[in-house]
Amino acid sequence: IVFIYAYIQRFFTWGRYDTLKDYNLPYPEAVFDLSYYRKNPQPFVELAKELWPGQEGGPRPTLAHSFVRLLDQKKCLLRCYTQNIDGLERLAGVSEDKLVECHGNFHSSSCTNPACRAEATNCKDDILDSKIPHCDKCGSVTKPDIVFFGEELPMKFQYLIEDDVEMCDLLIVLGTSLLVMPVAGIPSWVGKKCPRLLINRELVGDFATEAIMVKNWGGGYSRDVFLKGDCDDGVKDICELIGWEEDLNVAHKAVS
């Protein structure tokens, strides 16, 4: 089981917030607020036009994404839980049944009217043309199926997570602050004897808590490995150690 949060950062750290400054957002996160979107969809439309995955010149899967695909190809992947909305796991070729996009995706779109929720086939084209997308069925605004503030996580997450954390025999956590719940709770939900690997620039979340317990009180479980640094460097080191380096290069070359 792999939980990955890598590559794309919060939009207001990119300098892309400048794109939206003329819209006088009440606060930066309002662009992802469902009630605000229904009243004023244009700021999100402009942002989504830049973010929409798969566009020429847009973000491409990193070596870390290709590592997840390689785990899938080698039948070692139970599930990939990602908080990313950039769709790079899909672009990397991770199987649909192995992928749980916890905060949604741009792959599908739907009406924001709770009484309708019809599929919105024109949403992508409208947004890429800087047009506000509307539902063909009821006329309400539509949006990609990414999770806005005020929306529940996808049913796929709720359906799979309980069995997956019980079945997990190795947890790999890549590039995360482990701050956004409930997904950040996954490392603490796996079995107490399940080995856990964190590849990250800093020790975070439940990994940090258990490290303190072991250091100061001798409690906790010596089940964690912390590989400090960038995700791409970390997965490359791992593949070198287990003889997968060439396989990783081939997998990455296919999507880069």
Side-chain angles (χ1 to χ4, degrees):
I1 182 169
V2 175
F3 160 79
I4 179 171
Y5 183 70
Y7 199 79
I8 286 190
Q9 306 170 16
R10 291 178 180 269
F11 80 94
F12 44 85
T13 66
W14 307 336
R16 285 194 172 118
Y17 182 64
D18 290 340
T19 305
L20 306 176
K21 63 183 179 181
D22 293 337
Y23 291 97
N24 296 317
L25 293 172
Y27 49 93
E29 294 88 346
V31 73
F32 292 117
D33 186 287
L34 184 59
S35 60
Y36 184 83
Y37 177 72
R38 289 186 177 124
K39 293 183 294 184
N40 184 16
Q42 198 64 50
F44 175 78
V45 168
E46 295 303 323
L47 179 65
K49 180 180 178 180
E50 291 190 47
L51 294 185
W52 208 288
Q55 296 185 74
E56 184 177 352
R60 302 298 302 170
T62 68
L63 205 62
H65 294 96
S66 296
F67 174 68
V68 179
R69 181 193 185 195
L70 184 59
L71 290 174
D72 187 9
Q73 290 176 329
K74 290 184 175 290
K75 311 298 182 184
C76 296
L77 182 67
L78 173 60
R79 208 81 61 200
C80 171
Y81 286 85
T82 176
Q83 286 181 306
N84 290 342
I85 61 171
D86 52 28
L88 295 184
E89 294 82 13
R90 285 179 180 271
L91 291 178
V94 178
S95 302
E96 175 78 27
D97 64 317
K98 298 295 185 180
L99 180 60
V100 179
E101 294 161 311
C102 305
H103 291 174
N105 60 77
F106 284 87
H107 185 66
S108 61
S109 303
S110 57
C111 179
T112 61
N113 180 356
C116 180
R117 300 300 296 171
E119 182 181 359
T121 56
N122 63 333
C123 185
K124 177 180 179 180
D125 290 341
D126 284 345
I127 285 179
L128 294 183
D129 286 337
S130 294
K131 299 177 182 177
I132 296 173
H134 289 93
C135 179
D136 292 335
K137 185 175 180 180
C138 74
S140 300
V141 290
T142 64
K143 71 171 185 64
D145 289 331
I146 62 174
V147 178
F148 276 28
F149 297 112
E151 292 187 299
E152 293 185 354
L153 268 60
M155 287 301 299
K156 189 175 184 179
F157 174 86
Q158 301 175 46
Y159 178 75
L160 292 172
I161 187 61
E162 186 174 351
D163 287 342
D164 280 353
V165 295
E166 184 176 340
M167 294 173 62
C168 178
D169 57 11
L170 170 63
L171 178 72
I172 303 176
V173 179
L174 298 171
T176 177
S177 62
L178 285 181
L179 290 175
V180 182
M181 297 296 286
V183 182
I186 291 177
S188 65
W189 299 344
V190 298
K192 291 299 182 181
K193 295 184 179 181
C194 175
R196 309 185 307 182
L197 168 64
L198 172 65
I199 305 177
N200 207 38
R201 292 180 179 176
E202 56 186 355
L203 197 61
V204 293
D206 198 56
F207 289 88
T209 301
E210 289 205 7
I212 292 172
M213 292 173 64
V214 171
K215 180 179 179 181
N216 293 341
W217 299 291
Y221 298 87
S222 56
R223 57 171 176 164
D224 292 342
V225 174
F226 174 39
L227 187 54
K228 186 175 182 178
D230 292 338
C231 293
D232 286 359
D233 293 337
V235 299
K236 184 177 180 181
D237 290 343
I238 290 172
C239 287
E240 287 177 353
L241 286 171
I242 61 179
W244 287 6
E245 185 177 10
E246 182 59 29
D247 293 337
L248 179 63
N249 290 335
V250 170
H252 188 55
K253 186 177 180 180
V255 296
S256 60

